[in-house]
Amino acid sequence: MSKHDSAVPSAPAHREIPLYIPDMPTAGELLPWLEKIDESRWYTNFGPLNRLFEETVRRYFPPTPAVHVTTVANGTLGLELALAAFDLPPRSAVLIPAFTFVATATAVVRAGLTPVLADFDPASWSLTPEIARVALEQIPIRVVMPVTTFGFPQPVTAWDAFSAETGVPVIIDAAGAWDSQPIGETTAVVFSLHATKNLSTGEGGIVASADPGFIERVRNTSNFGFDAGEVRHIGTNAKLSEYHAAVGLAMLARWQRRKADKFKLLQAYRDRLDKLGNPPVYQHGMARIVPSLLAVRLPEQSDVAALAGRLSEQGVLTRQWYYPPLYRHPAFAALPHAGELAVTREIAGQILGLPFHMGIAPTDMDYICFWLDRLRS
Amino acid sequence: MSKHDSAVPSAPAHREIPLYIPDMPTAGELLPWLEKIDESRWYTNFGPLNRLFEETVRRYFPPTPAVHVTTVANGTLGLELALAAFDLPPRSAVLIPAFTFVATATAVVRAGLTPVLADFDPASWSLTPEIARVALEQIPIRVVMPVTTFGFPQPVTAWDAFSAETGVPVIIDAAGAWDSQPIGETTAVVFSLHATKNLSTGEGGIVASADPGFIERVRNTSNFGFDAGEVRHIGTNAKLSEYHAAVGLAMLARWQRRKADKFKLLQAYRDRLDKLGNPPVYQHGMARIVPSLLAVRLPEQSDVAALAGRLSEQGVLTRQWYYPPLYRHPAFAALPHAGELAVTREIAGQILGLPFHMGIAPTDMDYICFWLDRLRS
């Protein structure tokens, strides 16, 4: 045994450290809510649990601007219906980051519009108002859809100012940014409640805006477009069931406690990562929020795939979230780009998602950090 | 009190007889399935309960042709993805009946195609292969999408023959026809699992076909279009959660017993309706199936809205299902028609949905039939 090996922390009790384990309510926590469904015998179509869930969600937002919300079957359908509510000409340009989950782009296409791929800012790992302004000088963008990369909130005041200045509306794809992303005066927000998010219903979503007419339009189109018994604007079925509303209510009942626990976990993780000889680079703003996912940048790795493979051999499961960037998927290869996407090309391949969930013990963090340090190139 | 009044059956114990009460599993029936989710900690994305639900569903179909199934978040999204799987040119014509729930048409539009409205057959209340053949002589129809009106199955052998003869594929919008609608050799089927259906998950759907490639395409596009980690064909999120799969499994566990009970209810109802001085007209095939909904035709009523109002005053809640026909919704007013739609114009307004669910007692049926008879014009 070499001197080096003597420093290897003992392997975790479990064979592998999973990347993500959703932290969802147990059957026992769901039971009281399911009994309410037995009483109401209302199972979907904006039933009493859905209304209570919406009202509870609404109270999590800052008091101004007054927020209106409607639930949807999932965040992707929420984006599709929010985009459709603008009644834009077919194939109008929607600016999105090239570094995002594919749903950002599929939602634009399914709304009959054309995604235009933008670069991201190397500090926030996000499409910013500054990037959007430059893009708008080259391309007649009709909507900007920035993304809360890894759950980091977007600056709504800056986006409101962008819209006021340019006349271009902004919808934030706030997939994993529950509890950290406010709405703007004009900027609307769509959350995902997928199982990998801090607040989840298994599958679900929330559309939030200061504009009650916009929310009513999204709500109607989530129910085929019915408005007083008639279909005026064609929609689909994107309704959240009472079962999923029950899961959401059970999650909200314990969210503040879980948030505190997850924040502590993140601090403990960062304490260890920061002590490495070559600490990873974080997304700007890391100290202030509780992200759904923990991703770090390893600037020396031009492509972290090989590192992920070596970590996996040691039982540490990681993932290159949002990788490859959209333009490398066959379906998006022909999309227009706003500029060179130089930052995306340089940095996207250096970002690695580490195991981050409430099943991670201090010894797991020691183990992960040890191997991350040793196996980096 | 007049002699006539003495024949009035006593009012039901409850103030009103509801049109429909979903017959869904109780919290207690769901609990063992939810405990399985606690064990797997898998909440969506084709988890173990979803796979078991799909396999259980598959075994309900006749052994030939071999059936492949995939679940979807709801039937409407199933139709959208099934239509998209044909890769047709934008705005290609899809023949659908004018007398159907609006989702049949919204799904066509959301798939980027153009609904062409067809008439229905006065016996089956359905778009038939004969009607489609006549339409095809006038309009270059690319897909036919007949509907299992009120849960009555479509003749798949005849539709297979239609496709073989014309080269035009057929997808059956089999919304409420669980357990009665087989798949064809070439004809695919999309079921809804909405709360108003005999088999329900609250919100959900099933796409079934003999073509494994077609089902794989629908499954991939229900998960954004991912195929081996890449997006080739753009999809959306239409995945069924493990919670909804749990509800489906609990329903299937008791379906045979419920089916027998509902069949008995239907017989008892028809015994009473058939004894009326002026019995209503049924959809052809009524004796053989257990529909999700019970609708009757009252040929003397040119519009049953007034009758429905008078019944409501007596505490009998009814509904003009699928009414008004699609062409009377603003969003569908400009759609092309295949022919005059003469039967739809004559008959659609004569059809009335009666209360039909397991909460209906024999005295309720007496009461409903008495007032239906007395209040008809």
Side-chain angles (χ1 to χ4, degrees), chain A residues 45-338:
Chain A
N45 290 41
F46 314 116
L49 292 192
N50 183 70
R51 290 196 299 270
L52 179 60
F53 180 58
E54 287 178 339
E55 182 52 30
T56 312
V57 158
R58 223 176 53 72
R59 288 200 301 264
Y60 270 82
F61 285 88
T64 54
V67 63
H68 301 265
V69 306
T70 190
T71 56
V72 280
N74 57 60
T76 305
L77 291 170
L79 292 173
E80 292 181 19
L81 296 180
L83 287 165
F86 292 116
D87 283 326
L88 293 171
R91 292 180 293 286
S92 296
V94 178
L95 192 69
I96 63 171
F99 183 61
T100 180
F101 184 60
V102 298
T104 314
T106 64
V108 175
V109 175
R110 292 252 315 162
L113 308 171
T114 302
V116 174
L117 304 186
D119 211 353
F120 68 78
D121 170 70
S124 68
W125 305 0
S126 285
L127 164 57
T128 60
E130 294 65 40
I131 293 171
R133 275 190 188 88
V134 174
L136 199 53
E137 286 167 14
Q138 311 159 31
I139 299 169
I141 305 292
R142 300 296 297 270
V143 179
V144 180
M145 199 152 82
V147 174
T148 59
T149 315
F150 303 125
F152 281 61
Q154 283 288 319
V156 280
T157 309
W159 281 118
D160 282 349
F162 169 86
S163 292
E165 174 194 318
T166 62
V168 175
V170 174
I171 298 175
I172 297 173
D173 175 352
W178 167 249
D179 198 16
S180 70
Q181 179 62 62
I183 62 163
E185 295 282 352
T186 57
T187 299
V189 177
V190 179
F191 298 95
S192 164
L193 304 176
H194 186 261
T196 51
K197 306 302 184 285
N198 279 335
L199 175 65
S200 172
T201 56
E203 291 283 356
I206 296 166
V207 185
S209 164
D211 178 353
F214 175 79
I215 292 299
E216 189 188 4
R217 169 73 179 264
V218 172
R219 192 178 188 83
N220 289 346
T221 52
S222 78
N223 187 29
F224 310 105
F226 277 116
D227 182 2
E230 275 188 345
V231 176
R232 291 188 175 276
H233 301 290
I234 286 171
T236 184
N237 184 359
K239 299 190 297 291
L240 189 80
S241 77
E242 289 289 281
Y243 296 113
H244 285 173
V247 178
L249 285 161
M251 281 211 97
L252 281 177
R254 62 180 194 176
W255 166 239
Q256 291 301 343
R257 195 171 68 246
R258 298 293 166 130
K259 181 182 174 182
D261 291 344
K262 206 161 181 182
F263 194 74
K264 274 184 221 158
L265 174 73
L266 181 62
Q267 299 315 309
Y269 222 133
R270 287 194 59 193
D271 283 350
R272 286 164 174 80
L273 288 168
D274 289 344
K275 282 178 193 139
L276 299 181
N278 180 14
V281 177
Y282 303 109
Q283 200 171 351
H284 181 74
M286 175 68 98
R288 291 190 305 275
I289 69 148
V290 177
S292 294
L293 304 172
L294 175 60
V296 297
R297 181 179 162 209
L298 306 169
E300 79 287 357
Q301 308 277 147
S302 62
D303 187 323
V304 298
L307 173 63
R310 293 194 295 271
L311 285 165
S312 174
E313 286 167 16
Q314 300 302 330
V316 177
L317 301 189
T318 61
R319 188 174 298 173
Q320 290 186 273
W321 299 111
Y322 307 164
Y323 200 80
L326 293 180
Y327 49 78
R328 283 179 47 192
H329 289 273
F332 307 125
L335 291 181
H337 296 189

Side-chain angles (χ1 to χ4, degrees), chain A residues 44 80 110 203 236 241 244, chain B residues 44 80 110 203 236 241 244:
Chain A
T44 181
E80 292 181 19
R110 292 252 315 162
E203 291 283 356
T236 184
S241 77
H244 285 173
Chain B
T44 182
E80 291 181 20
R110 292 252 314 162
E203 291 283 357
T236 185
S241 77
H244 285 172

Side-chain angles (χ1 to χ4, degrees), chain B residues 77-306:
Chain B
L77 292 170
L79 292 174
E80 291 181 20
L81 297 180
L83 286 165
F86 291 115
D87 284 327
L88 294 171
R91 292 180 294 286
S92 295
V94 178
L95 192 69
I96 64 171
F99 183 62
T100 180
F101 184 60
V102 298
T104 314
T106 64
V108 175
V109 174
R110 292 252 314 162
L113 309 171
T114 302
V116 175
L117 304 185
D119 211 353
F120 68 78
D121 169 69
S124 68
W125 305 1
S126 285
L127 164 57
T128 60
E130 294 67 38
I131 293 171
R133 276 192 188 88
V134 174
L136 199 52
E137 286 166 14
Q138 311 158 34
I139 299 168
I141 304 294
R142 300 297 297 269
V143 179
V144 179
M145 199 153 80
V147 175
T148 59
T149 315
F150 303 124
F152 281 60
Q154 283 287 319
V156 280
T157 309
W159 282 117
D160 282 350
F162 169 86
S163 292
E165 174 193 319
T166 62
V168 176
V170 173
I171 298 174
I172 297 174
D173 174 353
W178 166 250
D179 198 16
S180 69
Q181 180 63 63
I183 63 163
E185 295 282 352
T186 57
T187 299
V189 177
V190 179
F191 298 94
S192 164
L193 304 176
H194 186 262
T196 51
K197 307 302 184 286
N198 278 336
L199 175 65
S200 172
T201 56
E203 291 283 357
I206 296 165
V207 184
S209 163
D211 178 354
F214 175 80
I215 291 300
E216 189 188 3
R217 169 75 178 263
V218 172
R219 192 178 190 82
N220 289 347
T221 52
S222 79
N223 188 28
F224 309 105
F226 276 116
D227 182 2
E230 274 187 344
V231 176
R232 292 188 174 274
H233 301 290
I234 286 171
T236 185
N237 183 358
K239 298 191 296 292
L240 189 80
S241 77
E242 290 288 281
Y243 296 113
H244 285 172
V247 178
L249 285 160
M251 281 211 96
L252 281 177
R254 62 179 192 175
W255 165 239
Q256 291 302 342
R257 195 171 69 246
R258 298 294 168 129
K259 181 182 175 183
D261 291 344
K262 206 161 181 182
F263 194 73
K264 274 184 220 158
L265 174 73
L266 181 62
Q267 299 316 309
Y269 222 133
R270 286 194 60 193
D271 284 348
R272 286 165 174 79
L273 289 167
D274 289 344
K275 281 178 193 140
L276 299 181
N278 180 15
V281 177
Y282 302 109
Q283 200 171 350
H284 181 75
M286 174 68 97
R288 294 191 302 275
I289 69 148
V290 178
S292 294
L293 305 172
L294 174 60
V296 297
R297 180 179 162 210
L298 306 169
E300 79 287 356
Q301 310 276 148
S302 61
D303 188 323
V304 299

